[in-house]
Amino acid sequence: MFSKSRINEPGPAKEPETSKAPEAAKKPAMPGLDSKPAPKAKPPASVLSSDLTVVGNLKTTGDIQVEGTVEGDIRAHLLTIGENATIRGECVADDVVINGHIAGRVRGLKVRLTSTAKVEGDIIHKTIAIESGAHFEGSVQRQDDPLSGTSNRTPVKPAAKPEE
């Protein structure tokens, strides 16, 4: 079951390194992966810390977590607004999780307002969840594609005045 370790015993004589080089060149490091590049891992979310104030727009295809203040528009894949964060501008993302304060429009496929959220502006969404305790002032509109920025709501024409 167990065998005596042979760590201290002399091993077989080593061959010169030049004889192993052609063998190593013939074999790929990982079998089956020589023709395809390895898939890239998803990068972690970019975090804007609580002591950071950004004046300007932010745009990424990745994830952003805001803990500080942003005065401008934000566009991302996943946008998380921290409990003490403040955003003054439009927020557009596939997924938006709001724990803090937003003064501006929110557009997202999935929008979630937690109990600590405070939103002052319109929300255009495909699905929405609003927890008890969230503060919201504005309108809510459902759209199949809220990220497009165009409204699929037909404008209401004013009623014609009767002629006198």
Side-chain angles (χ1 to χ4, degrees):
M1 183 165 171
F2 295 103
S3 63
K4 185 176 177 184
S5 174
R6 297 181 185 202
I7 294 175
N8 294 329
E9 294 180 13
K14 289 188 177 183
E15 295 180 25
E17 293 295 323
T18 55
S19 65
K20 290 186 179 180
E23 260 182 53
K26 291 178 188 176
K27 294 182 183 178
M30 297 183 82
L33 293 180
D34 56 344
S35 62
K36 295 180 187 175
K40 292 183 180 178
K42 184 179 177 187
S46 298
V47 179
L48 303 178
S49 67
S50 59
D51 64 341
L52 183 66
T53 298
V54 176
V55 178
N57 299 333
L58 303 173
K59 184 177 181 181
T60 182
T61 57
D63 303 345
I64 297 180
Q65 179 177 342
V66 179
E67 298 296 335
T69 302
V70 176
E71 295 181 14
D73 300 340
I74 302 174
R75 184 173 191 99
H77 170 68
L78 168 63
L79 176 59
T80 305
I81 308 300
E83 201 168 317
N84 297 314
T86 301
I87 310 297
R88 290 182 202 91
E90 183 177 39
C91 296
V92 181
D94 292 341
D95 295 327
V96 183
V97 179
I98 304 168
N99 300 301
H101 181 232
I102 294 181
R105 184 185 330 193
V106 177
R107 291 191 292 139
L109 295 174
K110 293 192 310 187
V111 178
R112 179 174 164 221
L113 278 65
T114 66
S115 60
T116 58
K118 182 177 180 184
V119 177
E120 299 169 8
D122 299 338
I123 298 176
I124 302 169
H125 65 90
K126 187 168 184 179
T127 61
I128 189 166
I130 302 175
E131 291 181 4
S132 178
H135 176 84
F136 172 60
E137 291 181 34
S139 67
V140 178
Q141 180 182 349
R142 187 199 176 286
Q143 285 187 4
D144 288 330
D145 187 14
L147 303 180
S148 68
T150 60
S151 176
N152 61 1
R153 180 184 279 182
T154 54
V156 178
K157 294 181 182 178
K161 293 183 181 179
E163 301 210 13
E164 295 177 22

